[in-house]
Amino acid sequence: MLRSAMARGFADLPSEKVLSGDLDALPTLWTNIRSIADSTSIPRETVRRKVNDLIKDGLVKRSGQLLTITPRAFPDSRFVVDKFIRLAAVSHATVEKLVENDAPPGV
């Protein structure tokens, strides 16, 4: 989910469509099993099994070795989505303040 939320164009999607799962596809920054295993310290075989379950459930899509979440996963993960939305808002406000504080006078 985080890789999709970080993708260019994700913030421009209508939130009601994202939260309802009513999209054909999501913008994404793909990931793979190894990256998930490395970043979570979960054994690669465990990640592989869980990812295969998520694929069977239609929540993750595989293209070769690359993985992405499907629009269907967002409504099933409302708690996580709410946290992402809050994180995105706080991050955006922080970046705006940094830019504002570093802008040369008169800009």
Side-chain angles (χ1 to χ4, degrees), residues 16-66:
E16 65 277 355
K17 284 196 169 217
V18 172
L19 296 175
S20 71
D22 189 27
L23 294 168
D24 293 330
L26 295 169
T28 190
L29 300 175
W30 297 85
T31 192
N32 59 44
I33 288 173
R34 181 182 194 143
S35 292
I36 295 169
D38 289 348
S39 66
T40 61
S41 298
I42 298 171
R44 198 173 309 158
E45 181 57 26
T46 301
V47 172
R48 186 192 65 74
R49 282 194 316 269
K50 298 297 183 184
V51 164
N52 285 336
D53 290 343
L54 292 170
I55 291 169
K56 288 176 191 170
D57 292 341
L59 302 175
V60 170
K61 174 183 165 188
R62 181 191 309 266
S63 179
Q65 296 296 313
L66 300 177

Side-chain angles (χ1 to χ4, degrees), residues 73-91:
F74 275 87
D76 292 344
S77 304
R78 180 62 193 227
F79 174 77
V80 174
V81 172
D82 288 343
K83 295 294 183 188
F84 276 135
I85 291 169
R86 287 191 196 118
L87 175 63
V90 169
S91 297

